[in-house]
């Protein structure tokens, strides 16, 4: 699932970033006629197959208006939702072949189907391998998910990022095997940001939401021109295509690019919950910030972070006697968030207040040092914004350090000092006179 858009992006990048002008002229010179121009069938994988894309179009369909383009393609956002049905819609004049073959076409078609059936197509369903050491079978957590699974989106984004890198790299380009090892390892050319762990951050910088909306719209318009009998695109007006493109891009940028990558429990090989979990009554009003203290070193790759998760779960279950790992979520310094008890179950992270908020811990000891900016951004910005969008947190939620509610040094002096500068940080005082009763009086962050 992720390999096909990855390879399509690599090939498009090797050919150079190109813009296909719309509409296509069926009488123009075929793409394959020029020595440096790719064949249409190589650049547009078949969207009608289960592997999806834009391919198997007629060889006679061609365009002479293909030109080398810069990575930034100017576009006008199709802001259709704010206009009346009779408003003039400015159709796209071109499509970026790199985005078309990796992401835009599939994104548009999936939401077009949802638009026609009045059902939400879903976005980013996760899955897990049967085992980490020698994986053979990958199973989706939701078998009824749309084709826009997390695996597909990851592959599509990897293809777009690596294709963009190749298009900007002068020859001789590095062997693809070398490039892939770096990207799925420590980073391309020693740049730790250009690696798979941070694909969402890099993807957000690759194209703006208005530009991507125009590319989705353009990819649908291109396919409509190439395949007039396509069952999803027959008699679909430009206004409808623009509406679908806007909706698809909004969902993709907010629910995927704007959210942290969360490894589900099965990914880090969590043991089962002991007993019957207590459901949370959503939305909640608090986000409690912790550091793990032990493990003390930050984890910077999946293998160490997953091992830390298993170690903490063993300690919480076997030593503490809890039903499961206590935290709702744990944040590594590898670019990922790890699911603990998750969005729906009461945790064991903040004594006396577990049912009122989510407990989020950053792996490491932050008494004297601060976490990485990526880890801080996940806790400060990404995780709360996604929780707000999904209805898990209230808009007026308060951020508290563990030490404000329980007699502890957690989350460490350095991290707590920074925490006090965050927008949703809230001062609290213990209202009840008895020291064993930890009732709260909240104060606005700006209150004296």
């Amino acid at each position: 699932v992720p390999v096909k858009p990855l390879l399509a992006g690599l090939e498009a990048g090797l050919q150079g970033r190109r813009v296909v002008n719309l509409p296509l002229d069926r009488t123009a010179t075929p793409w394959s006629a020029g020595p440096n121009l790719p064949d249409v069938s190589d650049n547009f994988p078949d969207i009608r197959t289960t592997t999806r894309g834009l391919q198997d179009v007629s060889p006679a369909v061609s365009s002479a208006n293909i030109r080398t383009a810069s990575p930034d393609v100017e576009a006008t956002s199709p802001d259709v939702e704010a206009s009346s049905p009779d408003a003039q819609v400015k159709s796209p004049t071109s499509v970026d072949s790199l985005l078309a073959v990796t992401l835009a076409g599939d994104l548009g078609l999936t939401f077009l189907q949802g638009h026609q059936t009045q059902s939400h197509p879903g976005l980013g369903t996760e899955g897990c391998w049967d085992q980490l050491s020698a994986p053979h079978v990958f199973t989706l957590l939701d078998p009824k998910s749309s084709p826009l699974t997390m695996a597909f989106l990851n592959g599509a984004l990897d293809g777009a990022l690596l294709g963009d890198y190749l298009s900007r790299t002068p020859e001789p380009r590095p062997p693809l095997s070398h490039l892939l090892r770096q990207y799925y390892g420590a980073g391309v050319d020693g740049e730790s940001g250009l690696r798979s762990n941070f694909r969402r951050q890099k993807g957000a910088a690759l194209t703006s939401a208005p530009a991507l909306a125009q590319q989705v719209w353009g990819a649908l318009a291109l396919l409509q021109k190439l395949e007039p009998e396509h069952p999803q695109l027959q008699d679909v007006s430009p206004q409808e295509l623009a509406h679908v493109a806007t909706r698809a891009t909004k969902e993709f940028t907010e629910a995927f690019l704007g959210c942290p990558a969360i490894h589900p429990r099965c990914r880090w090989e969590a043991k089962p919950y002991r007993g019957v979990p207590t459901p949370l009554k959503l939305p909640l009003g608090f986000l409690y910030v912790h550091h793990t203290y032990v493990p003390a070193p930050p984890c910077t790759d999946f293998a160490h972070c997953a091992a830390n998760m298993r170690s903490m779960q063993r300690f919480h279950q076997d030593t503490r006697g809890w039903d499961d790992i206590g935290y709702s979520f744990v944040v590594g310094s590898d670019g990922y968030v790890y699911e603990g008890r998750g969005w729906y179950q009461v945790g064991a992270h903040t004594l006396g207040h577990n049912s009122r908020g989510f407990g989020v811990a950053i792996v490491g000891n932050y008494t004297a040092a601060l976490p990485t900016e990526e880890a801080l951004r996940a806790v400060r910005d990404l995780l709360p914004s996604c929780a707000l969008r999904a209805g898990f947190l209230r808009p007026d939620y308060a951020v508290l350090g563990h030490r404000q509610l329980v007699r502890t040094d957690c989350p460490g002096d350095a991290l707590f000092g920074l925490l006090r500068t965050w927008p949703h940080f809230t001062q609290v005082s213990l209202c009840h006179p008895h020291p064993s009763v930890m009732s709260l009086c909240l104060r606005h962050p700006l209150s004296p």
Side-chain angles (χ1 to χ4, degrees):
V1 170
V3 168
K4 185 162 187 176
L6 168 63
L7 295 181
L10 291 172
E11 183 176 358
L14 289 171
Q15 297 289 348
R17 294 286 302 267
R18 300 184 186 281
V19 171
V20 179
N21 285 341
L22 302 175
L24 287 177
D25 180 2
R26 289 178 177 271
T27 63
T29 305
W31 288 17
S32 56
N36 297 319
L37 300 184
D39 185 82
V40 164
S41 62
D42 291 332
N43 279 272
F44 292 94
D46 193 355
I47 48 173
R48 295 166 299 181
T49 66
T50 55
T51 47
R52 303 178 63 80
L54 287 174
Q55 172 178 330
D56 275 1
V57 295
S58 169
V61 179
S62 58
S63 174
N65 297 319
I66 302 175
R67 66 184 185 275
T68 302
S70 66
D72 296 320
V73 181
E74 291 187 3
T76 302
S77 173
D79 189 8
V80 177
E81 295 179 352
S83 60
S84 66
D86 297 327
Q88 293 293 321
V89 179
K90 185 178 180 181
S91 298
T93 58
S94 62
V95 63
D96 180 350
S97 62
L98 176 57
L99 288 175
V101 299
T102 54
L103 177 65
D106 296 272
L107 190 62
L109 282 174
T110 300
F111 277 82
L112 179 63
Q113 183 178 7
H115 173 72
Q116 293 169 340
T117 61
Q118 301 302 314
S119 64
H120 195 283
L123 182 69
T125 298
E126 270 288 12
C128 284
W129 293 99
D130 52 345
Q131 53 184 336
L132 289 180
S133 57
H136 290 90
V137 179
F138 187 85
T139 304
L140 288 173
L141 299 180
D142 178 7
K144 298 181 180 179
S145 65
S146 81
L148 293 179
T149 62
M150 197 64 71
F152 170 81
L153 292 173
N154 286 342
L157 202 53
D158 292 348
L161 291 170
L162 291 177
D164 175 69
Y165 173 82
L166 288 172
S167 71
R168 295 182 287 103
T169 303
E171 295 186 2
R173 297 185 178 99
L176 293 185
S177 58
H178 177 73
L179 177 63
L180 292 171
R181 277 196 299 269
Q182 287 189 326
Y183 181 74
Y184 294 106
V188 177
D189 291 339
E191 182 185 347
S192 61
L194 186 54
R195 61 172 175 152
S196 59
N197 302 51
F198 303 105
R199 59 169 65 89
R200 299 192 192 203
Q201 295 91 318
K202 284 293 184 180
L206 182 65
T207 180
S208 66
L212 180 59
Q214 192 79 359
Q215 292 302 315
V216 173
W217 187 9
L220 292 176
L222 173 63
L223 182 60
Q224 192 177 50
K225 187 72 174 179
L226 296 177
E227 296 191 48
E229 304 303 318
H230 192 286
Q232 286 182 249
L233 294 167
Q234 288 188 45
D235 303 320
V236 180
S237 68
Q239 289 84 353
E240 290 178 283
L241 294 182
H243 177 83
V244 168
T246 301
R247 177 169 170 255
T249 302
K250 177 179 174 63
E251 186 72 13
F252 174 74
T253 54
E254 293 182 3
F256 182 74
L257 291 183
C259 288
I262 301 177
H263 282 307
R265 291 171 58 88
C266 56
R267 187 77 50 77
W268 55 270
E269 295 187 320
K271 297 294 184 183
Y273 189 98
R274 295 177 180 175
V276 179
T278 303
L280 288 166
K281 295 179 180 179
L282 303 170
L284 305 184
F286 296 91
L287 187 69
Y288 309 130
V289 178
H290 301 247
H291 69 165
T292 62
Y293 190 73
V294 176
C299 62
T300 56
D301 59 66
F302 172 77
H304 286 94
C305 291
N308 286 345
M309 292 296 293
R310 294 191 295 271
S311 174
M312 286 186 285
Q313 187 186 42
R314 285 193 301 270
F315 176 72
H316 289 176
Q317 287 184 321
D318 300 338
T319 303
R320 296 289 192 188
W322 300 343
D323 295 330
D324 197 0
I325 188 172
Y327 306 117
S328 304
F329 296 95
V330 177
V331 178
S333 297
D334 61 339
Y336 292 108
V337 175
Y338 291 77
E339 181 185 21
R341 300 212 189 180
W343 297 118
Y344 301 102
Q345 298 179 7
V346 175
H349 44 75
T350 312
L351 183 64
H353 305 274
N354 291 313
S355 63
R356 304 176 64 187
F358 299 105
V360 181
I362 304 177
V363 175
N365 177 357
Y366 298 107
T367 302
L370 285 174
T372 62
E373 178 55 34
E374 290 81 6
L376 291 170
R377 182 169 176 261
V379 180
R380 181 188 61 230
D381 304 323
L382 299 180
L383 201 62
S385 67
C386 288
L388 284 169
R389 188 177 188 273
F392 300 140
L393 270 179
R394 295 202 307 259
D396 61 344
Y397 76 94
V399 172
L400 301 176
H402 187 197
R403 64 171 63 183
Q404 293 176 269
L405 305 176
V406 178
R407 287 174 174 83
T408 176
D409 291 331
C410 180
D413 291 345
L415 178 54
F416 184 69
L418 181 64
L419 195 68
R420 295 169 63 91
T421 68
W422 291 7
H424 280 263
F425 176 80
T426 304
Q427 298 284 357
V428 301
S429 60
L430 303 181
C431 301
H432 200 282
H434 196 282
S436 64
V437 180
M438 305 291 283
S439 58
L440 294 182
C441 286
L442 298 182
R443 291 191 293 161
H444 189 276
L446 300 181
S447 299

